[in-house]
Amino acid sequence: MKISTVKQMRELDRSAVERFGIAEEILMENAGQAAYFAILSHIGVNGKKFLVICGAGNNGGDGFVVARKLLSSGGSVQIVLLGDPGKYRGAARVNLDIALALGIDTGPFDDLETLKQQLADSDAVVDAIFGTGLARAVEGKYRDVIDTVNTSRKKVVSLDIPSGVSGDTGQVMGTAIKADYTITFGLPKIGNLFYPGCSLCGKLFVTHISFPP
């Protein structure tokens, strides 16, 4: 099995876009589609309620795609934004705008009591907070949100890697999501396979999102 560092995966992303002309929007669409199919197969979608928690980067963008796919298949979806809505760029911005145009209930993180109520009203959570790009300890509202999700006892699906796990080492960066399912894109990262990160991934799916062989 091939595995990659975070830097190597970024190079694969860059090469796909710049050398082969595979648009960033296509890669993000394929990532969201792969995560959606895992959710459909293992949790179900129609008639279920999902809380999609999105950070400020492309992991959040993947979350917007997942939210749209869930909505289109009969799921009820709410998006919580941990990033500044005005700072989304590129494909993430495109997919946020689509989610807003579709009327998906989308708003910033308010407080923990509101989040607890949102979690109580949901069947499952999609973790699209950090992805593999985390380089410092999880603090502040991010730590509070992750810890609250972990105590909610809801099914959790992480995109690429559980938020709070280092993609390069598998170490927990202060605190981390404990996922039931993790959908990683392209290749598994070191953090998906090394402990303690491995133990937080739950069932790991490795999906292909159009990277050239």
Side-chain angles (χ1 to χ4, degrees), residues 113-135:
E113 289 307 312
T114 301
L115 179 66
K116 288 176 183 177
Q117 186 59 54
Q118 292 168 325
L119 288 164
D121 291 340
S122 301
D123 295 303
V125 181
V126 177
D127 158 35
I129 302 172
F130 290 132
T132 59
L134 184 65

Side-chain angles (χ1 to χ4, degrees), residues 90-112:
R93 178 78 248 176
V94 169
N95 282 293
L96 173 57
D97 288 343
I98 293 172
L100 293 172
L102 288 170
I104 296 176
D105 184 359
T106 303
F109 168 73
D110 290 323
D111 55 66
L112 288 179

Side-chain angles (χ1 to χ4, degrees), residues 112 115-116 119 143-152:
L112 288 179
L115 179 66
K116 288 176 183 177
L119 288 164
R143 184 183 189 100
D144 293 339
V145 167
I146 288 173
D147 290 344
T148 301
V149 170
N150 285 342
T151 58
S152 71

